[in-house]
Amino acid sequence: MSRYLTLSALAVLFLFPLVWSGYASLEEPSNYLEMARFGEGIDTYAVNSVLVSAMTVGGTLIVSALGGYGFARFDFPGKNVLFLATLAILMVPYATILIPLYVLLGYLGLQNSLVGLSLVFVMFQLPFALFMMRNAFEAVPRELEEAALVDGCGTFRAFSRILLHAVRPALITVGLFAFLASWNDFFAPLILLNDGSSFTLPVAVVSMTQHTFGAIDYGMLQAGVMVMALPCLILFIVLQRHYVRGFMSGALRG
Amino acid sequence: MTLTVTRSRRAAHSAPSARWRSRKVQGWLYAAPTAVIVGVLFIAPLVLVVWMSLNRWPLLGPATFNAPANYVKIADNPLFVDAVLFTLKYTAITTVLLSGVALGLALLVQERRPGIAFFRTAFFLPGAVGFAAAGLLFYGMLNNDFGPIDPMLQSLGITSEPIKWIGTPNMALFSTITLVLWRFAGFNMLILLTGLQAIPTEVYEAARSDGANRWQIFTRITLPLLRPTLALMLILSVTGSLLAFDQFFVFTNGGPDNSTVSMVMVVYRDAFFRFDLGGAAALSVVLLVALVGLNTLMMRRLR
């Protein structure tokens, strides 16, 4: 029983900030309207965030599913080198290659672009995603695709029509990780986006505090926190089984 | 790409050697997007950061080779030297506290009992909130006029006046660490839970039947068998803390008086406030080499 008392007290401590933020934002519902008018309008930033997350999730799923299938089922020269190079992304600290990425995206004409930012996110997701997808495809019985191949469809038809369904749990896990990472990230968009109209939610709402002259409207700020946090909280609660499974597979980024 | 794959597949039926070659080509085609992303967005910036560090590289305008000036400059950058010391201190405190709290939580929710799933979720939930959102949340919660914490402490008689949560160097560090614990304790708890669940229950039963008490079981069985998982958690925590940026940028903004400027914050300021990308690249290379070295060392010692 005392264990449940301790646990309850701790749960209150952990949940209190979230509950308070929701409460503070709703104390005056006009907070949300005021925040909606901030800067270019909250809708601009929300749309940017949704676009970046959608492109990151889509890009990560496509690249890692194709790659995972290739690595699981085919032998080709350079396979091991490429796999190790991808895993090496985990070894190199994120923050240390953002400055050259900023310059590089400039060469590619992708500076200050949501597409460029999404590609960078796909790259950071790739070690975990590729590892997950390769393992998922390896766990699919070979008979399943051999039957399809005998029926005369090419490997790509077998892959897209049959195997992708078989690895759906892994796709959901990879997609969830990609969404949380891209929706929440602050540092990469801070560096790679420099025009107010292309900001994502975290950068826009943080700039609300740092470029306000005079008093900060704290209620409005908490409305911003809620707009950023709620999609993640809901998605996590719905899909937590997949999140925990992703953890168990051992590959993760802190 | 669909077309190429199906066509080469059809050709594969004709001869075994052609089929083998086509399998190779197909493998490459599936891996090609991965190769492009890794090559262009990972390998190329790695090479570029080294090249940039050897040049005077302004934000605008042409670069000029000036090695090793950017590296020599690092020693004369007092803000960076202070930032290194501050970041090390922050990393040490955070890692110790985070490991302790996460281990405590993991032991509390380790066994499957009714309702335990709720507590696991409750402890993890802050981890789903982004650092920018979490920083702004704490910024409001600890504000002296708006936040609920000061009135609560005062009505409980713990303090008599509002506390300067981010107004003094020590309190700013304390408040930031509290924020980080709130956000990451559940995340680390999950890592440790996977390790705890990998320990076979027979080992515990055998120890119990030999008359071992709870403390003995914890120190002689749980801790040693948890070592690889603890190592993973330590590496993640140390690396994450040494690269801390968001929490300080959003929550304390490096203040008061630059007392909470982390190493990555100096990189950022060099690049985008002093417009010195070459200097920022040199700092990045130093951090990169130091962290890869440290990680290798930790993995070797802890595994």
Side-chain angles (χ1 to χ4, degrees):
Chain A
M1 207 55 226
S2 71
R3 181 191 293 250
Y4 279 98
L5 277 178
T6 317
L7 284 170
S8 305
L10 286 167
V12 169
L13 275 181
F14 276 86
L15 294 179
F16 176 80
L18 292 174
V19 174
W20 171 77
S21 176
Y23 173 77
S25 73
L26 287 169
E27 219 170 5
E28 287 179 46
S30 63
N31 283 331
Y32 283 89
L33 289 175
E34 267 172 63
M35 188 201 46
R37 283 194 294 267
F38 170 78
E40 304 265 339
I42 198 80
D43 51 327
T44 311
Y45 309 127
V47 167
N48 289 342
S49 270
V50 169
L51 280 176
V52 167
S53 298
M55 286 190 284
T56 305
V57 171
T60 307
L61 288 179
I62 293 171
V63 174
S64 67
L66 288 169
Y69 181 52
F71 279 105
R73 287 291 200 261
F74 297 87
D75 271 315
F76 51 89
K79 182 173 155 171
N80 291 335
V81 175
L82 181 57
F83 196 68
L84 286 178
T86 312
L87 290 187
I89 296 175
L90 287 174
M91 285 288 287
V92 170
Y94 172 28
T96 60
I97 55 169
L98 276 177
I99 303 283
L101 273 170
Y102 169 82
V103 172
L104 199 76
L105 290 180
Y107 291 146
L108 297 173
L110 290 172
Q111 223 171 45
N112 195 32
S113 124
L114 299 179
V115 174
L117 176 65
S118 308
L119 285 172
V120 169
F121 283 145
V122 171
M123 184 271 294
F124 283 122
Q125 286 302 308
L126 210 50
F128 167 74
L130 189 70
F131 185 76
M132 282 285 295
M133 294 315 303
R134 189 196 64 165
N135 289 356
F137 280 111
E138 271 173 357
V140 176
R142 272 173 196 270
E143 291 77 35
L144 198 64
E145 74 192 281
E146 269 158 20
L149 294 178
V150 167
D151 284 348
C153 62
T155 61
F156 189 76
R157 290 262 301 271
F159 164 77
S160 59
R161 297 277 169 83
I162 296 162
L163 292 180
L164 276 184
H165 292 281
V167 296
R168 229 173 71 181
L171 288 171
I172 296 176
T173 305
V174 167
L176 176 65
F177 273 80
F179 174 81
L180 288 178
S182 57
W183 181 268
N184 283 332
D185 196 79
F186 174 72
F187 197 25
L190 177 74
I191 287 191
L192 302 178
L193 307 174
N194 40 43
D195 168 15
S197 64
S198 66
F199 281 175
T200 55
L201 281 171
V203 184
V205 181
V206 168
S207 74
M208 224 156 100
T209 58
Q210 301 195 331
H211 298 287
T212 314
F213 301 100
I216 295 169
D217 186 336
Y218 285 94
M220 181 171 109
L221 199 62
Q222 294 313 311
V225 169
M226 279 294 118
V227 170
M228 282 190 275
L230 268 181
C232 301
L233 296 175
I234 292 169
L235 213 63
F236 174 75
I237 290 173
V238 174
L239 295 175
Q240 55 175 311
R241 215 160 34 91
H242 293 274
Y243 192 91
V244 174
R245 190 177 308 138
F247 252 86
M248 301 284 187
S249 73
L252 32 82
R253 279 185 76 83
Chain B
M1 184 168 151
T2 322
L3 261 179
T4 355
V5 173
T6 25
R7 210 177 281 150
S8 54
R9 170 73 214 161
R10 234 169 256 145
H13 286 290
S14 49
S17 73
R19 181 185 184 138
W20 172 236
R21 198 176 308 134
S22 117
R23 289 287 293 178
K24 269 191 196 168
V25 173
Q26 284 186 37
W28 250 112
L29 285 176
Y30 283 110
T34 303
V36 170
I37 296 268
V38 172
V40 175
L41 294 171
F42 177 62
I43 308 287
L46 267 186
V47 176
L48 184 60
V49 76
V50 176
W51 174 240
M52 284 176 78
S53 74
L54 304 175
N55 283 270
R56 204 186 80 82
W57 199 297
L59 195 58
L60 300 167
T64 42
F65 193 78
N66 73 343
N70 291 327
Y71 288 95
V72 174
K73 237 170 27 187
I74 293 175
D76 305 328
N77 187 339
L79 192 57
F80 186 69
V81 178
D82 287 347
V84 171
L85 294 175
F86 171 74
T87 312
L88 289 175
K89 180 171 148 192
Y90 164 80
T91 300
I93 302 175
T94 305
T95 303
V96 170
L97 289 178
L98 200 54
S99 317
V101 173
L103 186 58
L105 291 178
L107 292 172
L108 276 171
V109 298
Q110 177 190 6
E111 291 161 51
R112 287 180 196 281
R113 296 174 189 222
I116 230 67
F118 164 79
F119 292 108
R120 287 184 185 175
T121 307
F123 299 149
F124 180 80
L125 214 49
V129 178
F131 238 139
L136 295 175
L137 200 170
F138 269 60
Y139 190 71
M141 198 170 69
L142 296 177
N143 179 269
N144 295 130
D145 300 318
F146 183 77
I149 301 296
D150 282 316
M152 273 162 69
L153 290 179
Q154 285 172 48
S155 66
L156 290 170
I158 295 171
T159 56
S160 55
E161 56 189 68
I163 293 171
K164 290 179 177 169
W165 295 106
I166 51 174
T168 69
N170 280 334
M171 280 313 288
L173 178 61
F174 168 83
S175 302
T176 311
I177 290 173
T178 310
L179 159 68
V180 171
L181 283 179
W182 176 74
R183 167 110 208 291
F184 276 119
F187 180 89
N188 287 282
M189 172 198 79
L190 271 187
I191 300 179
L192 293 178
L193 268 181
T194 63
L196 283 173
Q197 276 161 359
I199 302 176
T201 42
E202 294 84 41
V203 183
Y204 287 116
E205 278 156 22
R208 235 172 267 135
S209 65
D210 285 348
N213 63 31
R214 279 165 116 187
W215 177 247
Q216 284 169 326
I217 290 177
F218 177 69
T219 52
R220 307 262 174 87
I221 295 174
T222 309
L223 275 186
L225 289 178
L226 206 55
R227 206 175 136 104
T229 321
L230 279 168
L232 174 68
M233 191 193 70
L234 283 180
I235 290 174
L236 288 176
S237 169
V238 167
T239 316
S241 307
L242 287 176
L243 294 169
F245 175 82
D246 297 15
Q247 55 270 55
F248 295 115
F249 187 90
V250 175
F251 185 46
T252 67
N253 202 5
D257 292 331
N258 286 336
S259 63
T260 58
V261 172
S262 69
M263 296 191 292
V264 173
M265 232 164 140
V266 180
V267 176
Y268 174 77
R269 287 183 178 186
D270 267 14
F272 297 101
F273 284 93
R274 298 166 70 187
F275 310 117
D276 177 11
L277 294 187
L283 288 176
S284 298
V285 171
V286 169
L287 285 181
L288 203 151
V289 171
L291 277 158
V292 170
L294 186 70
N295 277 345
T296 319
L297 205 75
M298 281 198 292
M299 268 188 244
R300 232 181 254 155
R301 297 240 352 129
L302 291 165
R303 281 271 153 101

